[in-house]
Amino acid sequence: MKLPNNFFFKMFSPVICFMIFINIAIAQNPIVTHMYTADPTARVFDGKLYVYPSHDVDVCNELQGSNGFCMPDYHMFSTEDMVNWKDHGVIMDQNEVPWGGKDQYGMWAPDCIYKDGTYYYYYPGVPADKSAFRRIGVATSKSPTGPFKQVSHYIKGIQGIDPGLFVDDDGKAYLYYGGGNGKGALKVVELKDNMIEIKDKAKDVEGIVYKGYREASFLFKRNDIYYFTYARIGDNNYQIEYAIADNPIGPFEYKGVAMENIGNGTNHHSFVEYKSQWYLFYHDWSISDNNRLRSMCVDKMEFNEDGTIIPVKPTLRGVGTPKAGDIIQIDRHNGIEKAKVSIVQGNQPRGFQLDYIENNGWVKFDRVNFGDGSLQELRVRASSENSGGVLELRTGNQDGPLLASVTIENTGSWNTWKTFTGKFTGTTQGVKDIVCVFKGKDSYLFNVNWIKFSAGDVPESNNTLAYELQEAPKPSVKNKLTEEELLRIPKKRGEGIAKIGEVIQIDEHNGIENARISPTQKPQPKGFQVGHIDDKGWIKYDRVDFGEGNLKDFKAMVSAGERGGTLELRLDAKDGPILASMDIENTGGWNKWKLISVPFTEQTNGVKDIVCTFKGDGANLYNINWIRFTSSSVPSSLEAHPLEKGYTNTNISTTKTKKVPVANKKQNPIVKAGDIIQIDKHSGIDNARVTPVEGDQPSGNQVGYINDGGWLKYAGVDFGKGKLKTMKALASSGVSQEGILEIRIDSLTGPVLASIKIPNTGGWKKWKLVSAPITGKAEGIKDIYCLFKGKGKNLYNLNWLRFSSDDVPSSKKAHPLEKSGSVSAAVPKASGGSTETPKDRARRLRDIAKGKKIGIPLGQIMAIKSGVGKYLSVQGENIAATADAIGEKERFTVLSVSGNVVAIKSMATNKLFSARLNQDGIPVIASHSGEPQDWEKFTWQKIGEIQFTLKAHNSGLLQVNEDNQNSLTAGKGSKLSIKGILAFEIIK
């Protein structure tokens, strides 16, 4: 039903600005959301603040970009109030660089500085002459917004990334840049007056902590103190640090942390003073869940009396005070209740939204400037799949003076956005805190992206903004690959079986996480490698024939330009038994390859799947080109392979790992009807993760973090002669919306074998058995794909699957792992009936009665069916379960809803009835006369294992008719139990 509450979510392809000079009214973090922007350098020119960031896109393939980053051009932005940001469009494209390689997607962090009437724009680029990883180029302009004219050559005598410029009070200009790691990786050089040549040789920046240095050279001056800042992997991982000196060259004195790790894979920053306030600009990856698709942010910063920096803590609220006409992203809140924040979806620019909004929920947003109080209209950008509700704008707190109300209607879906308006009925002036209060009758009312108000003293505040009309924009860079290039892109693992002694090109994988495939760097042969390896990453390789066993050595061709890490060879899964483990140290550079060999510490044989798991401190541990095994049973495998020639076989004595018994299973074990399919033992996975089981299940693993469109493959399922019956799954879910598990044959687009609905089970640790009849056909041995469907992320968890067949009678019996409290997801028949037995239905109704409440739209016409499968009809004062088909007498209209208590009216007799709705819209009903009153509404008094007791609001108790156990009347009397069979189901 709702979009998930998850800040770390993969977004759509990035977009260019939809027109040049867009006014982007975003006062909150991130400050730009219509595209990805990173490495922001902020400068103040002529009273206006400009930001020069890099531009991340996500359309590169394995042949494009550098280190996983895909960056084709540069935009720039400006502001005068720290609220409204203007996108000045592309000021430089990668293919405009006269000395640069074409289509390299390597335009990393830039800077811009003013000197003697000219603006100088500095940037790193990939040189066409391949003389270095990056060279630093210059472009000039008479305006801070360009156009910039390219200097025909890069700055000679230096090479590196992240140029940072500083012009001192005496007019001398300095260029800071970095590249590599370790002492001397950061350089400073004075520039000549022409700003495109170096005056002397570059010097090392002295006095900083080099261990773990990553990027971002930036120097600023305050009160005659020179602050040199940079990003480093320190004690708290990726953080911004600084050192000070009394001159721009140093040596500097290390002072500490300016911003602690914020959970980014990277960070790159700048400091600037604007209108007597200091700010720290940086980037995060909150709207992409990808540390290579980043968004720039800004927060205020302050100094201690001694000049040291008070560490900056990032905020959602950001800086600036919005006013009439500005977009207010209220998800960047200062307080929230009965609502959540998620990534926005649908026809809106990337960013965040408020969702899971409940009645009487609210969100607070500080510092809004209402000017002189001539308020006119409030606009709200919202979506709803329910009946909507009302947004009240109040000042101070949720009970403060009411300024305006806006009615929000159903927009067609949670992802379809519309702008709703309402007039101001109250007034205020000056800078005030605001609170949006949400009212409505459904369980979840609507989603909100932003609000905006107009005022008479700000005429342009009533203009229609592009954000009010915009549909989801298109990607800014198209993937243009030749047929030859397409053939070079690495393919997934084929059908062959790797054997002892063969080289396994590990990039041709069956699954990968926290690592990336890229072209092999010299001096290895052309091909691909696994790089950008992070701690806890892994890569899987199916079907390796270990023969008779007698395993001797595990070999790997590796390179490491930094600290290295550990490579573990595991059996079957990323947490499977360890066969061998090798430590990889710095090899002298990413292109310096070494052959490492370690002995097997455990044995196995036959055809098995293997997983290489990566461990180390942080990110970018090492690269792997290939692996190879040897065995004393295969003498030829002990000889050097042609790819090993020229390399020293570095034998590493490792501490023997704790022995874990490795079962010598039969080759390619087949799962049959009645067997438990532990789906974490997969042959492929995407948009889901394997984690240890939590909750009321035996120890083991589960598949969790399941996102819409994700999938899991399981190879080798024997469906026999195909007389299939039921598919079951053990699942858990802590979200309100229902998810779907589709079982498909052979591929993600193959025939659907079964479709299982997975409801909220009461929590992520509460497991229930869900099932559905097998509606498709399959026979013999097939591969199956579990395709995950739902809205957003974190749909449900799965522990195992099981199917039954008429050919295997025992497969229809309950397995020991199946628990009694099951949830059936039977597919209704065309007649409205079900495959459930009355006993199954009664059990399911009891389970549902314990679930969460939901709402039903007013005026909805429905038919009602009792727990024994009969349709209800009106007979006198009672409702009796006597009809076998839906007729006019069996239809009812919803009159009022209060939470999950409703009043309904028969369309045949106009008599009124009360119903207490449960999670599936299942009511227990009593008949009345007159208009709906409190005495006609009922609540649960007690829910036992098999009995329900209802109590009227006027303290009267329901009575069961003695002559008809399927009917109820309202009245006062002794307390009676009402059996589960008296629950009724709404059939639309």
Side-chain angles (χ1 to χ4, degrees):
M1 176 187 291
K2 303 306 298 168
L3 302 174
N5 181 28
N6 191 324
F7 269 62
F8 304 101
F9 186 73
K10 289 182 179 178
M11 288 296 291
F12 326 113
S13 298
V15 296
I16 59 170
C17 55
F18 35 88
M19 57 182 291
I20 302 301
F21 303 111
I22 292 179
N23 279 309
I24 305 172
I26 300 291
Q28 302 84 51
N29 287 325
I31 57 176
V32 171
T33 58
H34 72 289
M35 60 186 294
Y36 294 119
T37 52
D39 312 317
T41 296
R43 298 292 186 187
V44 176
F45 300 131
D46 295 330
K48 184 181 290 188
L49 190 144
Y50 297 85
V51 181
Y52 300 86
S54 57
H55 177 202
D56 291 339
V57 299
D58 60 355
V59 296
C60 281
N61 57 55
E62 304 295 353
L63 303 178
Q64 300 170 322
S66 299
N67 292 354
F69 295 94
C70 189
M71 305 164 74
D73 53 34
Y74 295 112
H75 284 239
M76 62 88 58
F77 301 82
S78 66
T79 185
E80 295 183 70
D81 58 7
M82 301 299 291
V83 174
N84 297 284
W85 294 89
K86 179 181 289 186
D87 182 353
H88 294 263
V90 175
I91 59 173
M92 185 188 302
D93 182 81
Q94 58 183 341
N95 292 327
E96 295 174 359
V97 179
W99 48 267
K102 303 304 179 185
D103 297 317
Q104 294 293 314
Y105 296 89
M107 308 299 283
W108 288 9
D111 194 1
C112 187
I113 201 76
Y114 173 81
K115 187 174 186 292
D116 299 334
T118 300
Y119 295 88
Y120 295 88
Y121 190 86
Y122 295 80
Y123 59 93
V126 181
D129 61 15
K130 300 181 180 179
S131 59
F133 175 69
R134 288 290 192 283
R135 293 287 193 178
I136 295 175
V138 188
T140 64
S141 176
K142 293 300 180 181
S143 167
T145 62
F148 287 91
K149 181 180 179 181
Q150 290 283 345
V151 175
S152 62
H153 55 83
Y154 49 72
I155 299 177
K156 297 178 180 179
I158 62 172
Q159 56 179 296
I161 63 171
D162 295 356
L165 279 297
F166 177 75
V167 177
D168 209 351
D169 298 336
D170 59 6
K172 292 182 179 180
Y174 301 88
L175 169 63
Y176 304 83
Y177 62 97
N181 54 78
K183 185 170 176 57
L186 280 168
K187 304 285 187 181
V188 57
V189 65
E190 186 177 348
L191 296 176
K192 291 183 178 180
D193 288 341
N194 63 15
M195 299 292 283
I196 60 176
E197 295 179 281
I198 62 175
K199 194 170 186 178
D200 297 303
K201 288 186 177 180
K203 300 178 181 180
D204 294 347
V205 175
E206 297 181 3
I208 68 167
V209 178
Y210 272 104
K211 182 180 179 181
Y213 157 71
R214 299 302 299 167
E215 60 178 310
S217 309
F218 189 84
L219 185 131
F220 67 95
K221 183 179 180 181
R222 175 183 180 271
N223 295 342
D224 294 326
I225 299 177
Y226 296 82
Y227 295 77
F228 182 78
T229 66
Y230 57 97
R232 183 179 78 89
I233 296 178
D235 295 336
N236 191 29
N237 213 325
Y238 219 105
Q239 56 197 27
I240 296 171
E241 299 181 355
Y242 74 105
I244 64 173
D246 58 4
N247 67 86
I249 294 181
F252 293 89
E253 177 187 357
Y254 177 78
K255 283 298 182 181
V257 176
M259 172 179 271
E260 294 184 350
N261 174 40
I262 58 175
N264 279 349
T266 65
N267 208 346
H268 191 120
H269 62 283
S270 60
F271 296 84
V272 68
E273 184 181 21
Y274 184 54
K275 297 183 179 180
S276 300
Q277 172 65 55
W278 279 89
Y279 297 96
L280 169 60
F281 284 79
Y282 59 98
H283 65 232
D284 73 8
W285 50 313
S286 57
I287 64 173
S288 71
D289 193 25
N290 185 333
N291 64 6
R292 291 169 174 83
L293 295 172
R294 300 155 296 178
S295 301
M296 59 181 177
C297 303
V298 60
D299 275 295
K300 293 180 179 179
M301 63 169 296
E302 296 180 351
F303 299 82
N304 293 308
E305 290 185 5
D306 62 358
T308 54
I309 296 173
I310 299 175
V312 177
K313 294 188 180 298
T315 70
L316 298 177
R317 177 61 177 84
V319 300
T321 302
K323 61 183 184 302
D326 295 340
I327 288 291
I328 299 176
Q329 299 277 169
I330 59 171
D331 51 78
R332 313 287 79 185
H333 59 77
N334 295 87
I336 191 170
E337 186 172 310
K338 292 186 178 180
K340 296 180 181 179
V341 176
S342 300
I343 299 294
V344 74
Q345 294 191 21
N347 59 325
Q348 285 299 98
R350 68 188 69 246
F352 299 96
Q353 65 186 28
L354 286 182
D355 53 24
Y356 291 102
I357 292 174
E358 299 180 42
N359 183 41
N360 292 321
W362 56 265
V363 62
K364 184 179 181 183
F365 189 93
D366 291 353
R367 304 190 311 275
V368 176
N369 190 352
F370 289 96
D372 66 3
S374 55
L375 309 176
Q376 295 179 332
E377 189 176 70
L378 176 66
R379 300 182 187 179
V380 178
R381 189 71 165 175
S383 68
S384 179
E385 195 173 283
N386 284 339
S387 55
V390 175
L391 182 149
E392 296 178 347
L393 181 66
R394 297 177 179 268
T395 56
N397 57 58
Q398 61 266 35
D399 298 317
L402 178 65
L403 296 180
S405 297
V406 176
T407 299
I408 296 168
E409 300 174 348
N410 183 304
T411 63
S413 79
W414 296 111
N415 295 340
T416 302
W417 296 85
K418 293 183 179 180
T419 303
F420 298 90
T421 62
K423 298 295 183 181
F424 275 89
T425 56
T427 187
T428 189
Q429 59 184 0
V431 177
K432 297 288 174 63
D433 299 342
I434 63 171
V435 179
C436 294
V437 181
F438 313 117
K439 304 284 188 178
K441 58 183 175 51
D442 295 326
S443 296
Y444 298 117
L445 309 180
F446 44 79
N447 297 340
V448 180
N449 186 245
W450 50 258
I451 67 172
K452 172 181 177 283
F453 69 93
S454 59
D457 61 330
V458 186
E460 65 274 15
S461 69
N462 202 34
N463 293 341
T464 299
L465 300 182
Y467 274 172
E468 299 185 52
L469 303 175
Q470 177 195 355
E471 297 296 325
K474 302 299 181 185
S476 60
V477 180
K478 297 196 174 184
N479 204 347
K480 297 179 181 178
L481 287 183
T482 64
E483 291 185 7
E484 180 182 357
E485 288 175 322
L486 288 171
L487 291 174
R488 290 171 53 202
I489 296 177
K491 297 177 175 59
K492 293 289 183 74
R493 177 78 171 104
E495 296 300 323
I497 295 180
K499 298 180 179 180
I500 292 292
E502 295 179 348
V503 161
I504 298 176
Q505 293 290 160
I506 197 166
D507 55 89
E508 295 185 3
H509 59 81
N510 293 88
I512 191 170
E513 186 173 339
N514 283 333
R516 187 173 184 268
I517 307 299
S518 58
T520 298
Q521 304 294 314
K522 294 180 179 180
Q524 284 305 101
K526 289 183 178 180
F528 297 93
Q529 66 190 22
V530 177
H532 311 295
I533 289 173
D534 298 347
D535 180 44
K536 298 181 182 178
W538 55 268
I539 189 165
K540 186 178 183 187
Y541 198 91
D542 289 356
R543 298 182 302 281
V544 177
D545 188 354
F546 289 97
E548 299 176 4
N550 300 317
L551 304 174
K552 192 172 187 305
D553 291 322
F554 168 47
K555 298 182 178 183
M557 186 64 76
V558 302
S559 70
E562 296 188 16
R563 53 203 172 281
T566 300
L567 170 63
E568 295 175 341
L569 178 68
R570 292 178 177 263
L571 191 66
D572 293 331
K574 67 178 182 180
D575 53 356
I578 298 176
L579 300 178
S581 177
M582 67 172 59
D583 291 328
I584 301 170
E585 298 179 350
N586 190 316
T587 62
W590 295 109
N591 296 339
K592 298 291 185 180
W593 294 89
K594 284 190 177 181
L595 176 62
I596 298 181
S597 177
V598 296
F600 276 87
T601 55
E602 296 293 343
Q603 293 290 318
T604 189
N605 60 23
V607 177
K608 301 286 169 51
D609 297 342
I610 61 170
V611 178
C612 291
T613 57
F614 316 128
K615 294 187 176 180
D617 180 15
N620 295 323
L621 305 178
Y622 45 81
N623 295 339
I624 308 174
N625 187 238
W626 50 261
I627 61 175
R628 181 173 179 254
F629 314 129
T630 65
S631 167
S632 57
S633 297
V634 185
S636 61
S637 72
L638 303 177
E639 300 175 1
H641 189 277
L643 288 178
E644 298 180 33
K645 293 180 179 179
Y647 293 90
T648 302
N649 190 347
T650 306
N651 292 290
I652 299 177
S653 297
T654 58
T655 302
K656 191 159 184 167
T657 57
K658 182 179 179 181
K659 284 196 172 186
V660 179
V662 179
N664 290 321
K665 303 175 185 176
K666 293 182 180 180
Q667 180 174 329
N668 295 330
I670 301 297
V671 175
K672 299 179 181 180
D675 292 345
I676 289 292
I677 302 175
Q678 293 286 164
I679 58 175
D680 61 288
K681 306 295 184 183
H682 58 79
S683 302
I685 193 170
D686 188 35
N687 270 327
R689 297 212 306 261
V690 176
T691 59
V693 167
E694 294 185 336
D696 54 344
Q697 283 305 103
S699 60
N701 292 320
Q702 65 189 27
V703 175
Y705 299 98
I706 289 173
N707 302 332
D708 179 43
W711 55 269
L712 186 146
K713 179 183 178 182
Y714 196 89
V717 178
D718 188 355
F719 291 101
K721 296 180 181 179
K723 295 183 179 180
L724 308 178
K725 190 72 175 175
T726 304
M727 181 65 73
K728 300 178 180 180
L730 195 67
S732 69
S733 174
V735 296
S736 59
Q737 70 267 27
E738 191 174 63
I740 295 176
L741 169 64
E742 283 187 357
I743 311 298
R744 290 179 176 262
I745 299 297
D746 295 331
S747 72
L748 291 172
T749 58
V752 176
L753 189 66
S755 182
I756 305 174
K757 293 182 179 180
I758 301 177
N760 182 302
T761 64
W764 296 110
K765 298 180 182 180
K766 297 293 185 181
W767 294 88
K768 288 192 176 180
L769 185 65
V770 293
S771 65
I774 296 178
T775 56
K777 295 181 179 180
E779 59 183 23
I781 298 174
K782 302 285 185 182
D783 293 346
I784 64 171
Y785 283 78
C786 300
L787 181 60
F788 314 132
K789 292 187 175 182
K791 291 193 175 180
K793 281 193 168 187
N794 295 326
L795 306 178
Y796 44 80
N797 294 340
L798 294 174
N799 188 249
W800 49 259
L801 294 176
R802 182 173 182 249
F803 74 95
S804 61
S805 168
D806 286 339
D807 285 338
V808 185
S810 60
S811 70
K812 300 179 184 179
K813 297 179 180 179
H815 190 276
L817 288 179
E818 295 182 29
K819 296 190 173 184
S820 59
S822 64
V823 176
S824 176
V827 178
K829 296 180 181 179
S831 63
S834 165
T835 61
E836 292 176 298
T837 66
K839 185 176 179 181
D840 289 337
R841 177 178 294 276
R843 182 186 298 113
R844 179 165 68 90
L845 295 177
R846 288 198 299 272
D847 289 336
I848 292 171
K850 300 176 184 178
K852 295 182 179 179
K853 63 186 181 181
I854 65 167
I856 285 187
L858 297 184
Q860 179 175 329
I861 297 175
M862 62 195 73
I864 301 179
K865 185 169 65 174
S866 75
V868 294
K870 295 285 187 178
Y871 289 97
L872 301 182
S873 60
V874 179
Q875 293 183 343
E877 291 293 321
N878 300 324
I879 300 176
T882 57
D884 293 318
I886 299 177
E888 191 65 22
K889 289 194 292 186
E890 289 77 49
R891 297 187 182 275
F892 301 83
T893 303
V894 176
L895 296 183
S896 66
V897 178
S898 176
N900 59 348
V901 179
V902 302
I904 61 175
K905 182 171 69 173
S906 166
M907 294 184 66
T909 66
N910 289 326
K911 286 192 174 295
L912 298 167
F913 301 89
S914 295
R916 201 300 188 175
L917 290 181
N918 299 300
Q919 183 176 351
D920 264 7
I922 298 176
V924 175
I925 301 173
S927 59
H928 306 287
S929 60
E931 295 300 317
Q933 303 292 332
D934 282 343
W935 59 269
E936 297 163 44
K937 300 176 183 179
F938 301 88
T939 56
W940 292 115
Q941 179 75 5
K942 177 181 178 182
I943 302 179
E945 183 178 357
I946 61 171
Q947 292 184 333
F948 306 152
T949 301
L950 295 176
K951 185 177 182 181
H953 282 203
N954 70 341
S955 298
L957 295 170
L958 292 179
Q959 295 178 340
V960 179
N961 288 358
E962 294 181 359
D963 60 343
N964 187 347
Q965 290 293 308
N966 295 320
S967 63
L968 307 174
T969 58
K972 296 182 180 180
S974 59
K975 185 173 181 179
L976 296 173
S977 295
I978 300 174
K979 296 181 180 180
I981 206 167
L982 294 172
F984 298 104
E985 181 176 5
I986 291 177
I987 306 295
K988 295 183 180 179

